[in-house]
Amino acid sequence: MNKQFLWLFLVIFPALSQAQLNNIMKRTKAKIENRVDNKIDNKIDKKMDEVEGKEVETASSPNTESSKETTTTTSPETVKSFSKFDFVPGERIIYAEDSAQDAIWELPLTWNSSGKEEVMTRSNKGGNWLRMFQNNTCLTGNKKAFGENYTIEFDLM
């Protein structure tokens, strides 16, 4: 009887241990992926906060308290452009949009979009700006036809 029990134990034990090892390996892999994803997300968030000029929390070591540090750019952002400029403004303005009445982080009231677009402000530029994302279509709320001959002018950053 002991030989049969020992023989059965030797046959079944490797199968059971293999299943447990696979489960441990899957859990370990998932845990590692979650930690890597969290670290990447934290780094991206910190960089985005720096770019936007928001307060950034930094921790020098695990034993010290985290201190808040305000990140601001020391030199103003400058935009330089060089081109052969031949734009001639028309005699009258047919349509204008400045988004002054629109809420920040929202799509302008009368506009339509196939994705995510939002009104935002910039620290070194006045007024509201429309932030557009890739692979989206954004249409104004204009209902009138422009006519046959018109020119479009807009600021893009």
Side-chain angles (χ1 to χ4, degrees):
M1 182 73 173
N2 286 340
K3 286 184 181 182
Q4 290 176 345
F5 180 70
L6 182 62
W7 182 252
L8 183 64
F9 181 74
L10 289 175
V11 171
I12 294 176
F13 182 72
L16 293 175
S17 65
Q18 181 67 23
Q20 290 176 347
L21 284 176
N22 282 339
N23 189 24
I24 291 171
M25 292 299 287
K26 286 179 186 177
R27 288 180 59 201
T28 303
K29 183 179 176 184
K31 186 76 167 177
I32 290 170
E33 287 175 355
N34 285 339
R35 287 194 75 170
V36 169
D37 288 344
N38 287 339
K39 293 244 182 206
I40 290 171
D41 289 344
N42 288 339
K43 293 287 184 182
I44 290 172
D45 290 342
K46 283 182 184 179
K47 287 297 177 185
M48 291 298 292
D49 287 345
E50 287 177 13
V51 168
E52 293 172 351
K54 293 182 180 178
E55 290 183 355
V56 179
E57 289 186 29
T58 57
S60 56
S61 70
N63 297 334
T64 62
E65 291 184 26
S66 63
S67 61
K68 286 196 173 184
E69 179 181 298
T70 304
T71 306
T72 57
T73 55
T74 55
S75 63
E77 184 178 319
T78 59
V79 177
K80 295 180 182 179
S81 113
F82 303 96
S83 69
K84 186 176 179 181
F85 187 78
D86 63 350
F87 174 75
V88 178
E91 296 173 5
R92 62 188 170 95
I93 296 175
I94 300 171
Y95 177 77
E97 177 72 43
D98 67 353
S99 299
Q101 77 281 359
D102 296 320
I104 304 299
W105 305 114
E106 297 287 330
L107 182 68
L109 290 174
T110 60
W111 290 48
N112 289 318
S113 174
S114 66
K116 179 182 177 187
E117 263 59 64
E118 61 193 18
V119 174
M120 62 178 281
T121 59
R122 296 195 42 101
S123 60
N124 58 346
K125 301 288 181 192
N128 290 347
W129 293 77
L130 178 64
R131 182 177 184 188
M132 303 172 86
F133 294 87
Q134 291 182 357
N135 301 324
N136 292 334
T137 303
C138 192
L139 302 172
T140 70
N142 181 41
K143 302 286 185 206
K144 298 187 308 183
F146 289 151
E148 290 185 23
N149 191 10
Y150 61 91
T151 304
I152 297 175
E153 178 185 18
F154 59 91
D155 294 326
L156 177 70
M157 185 177 305

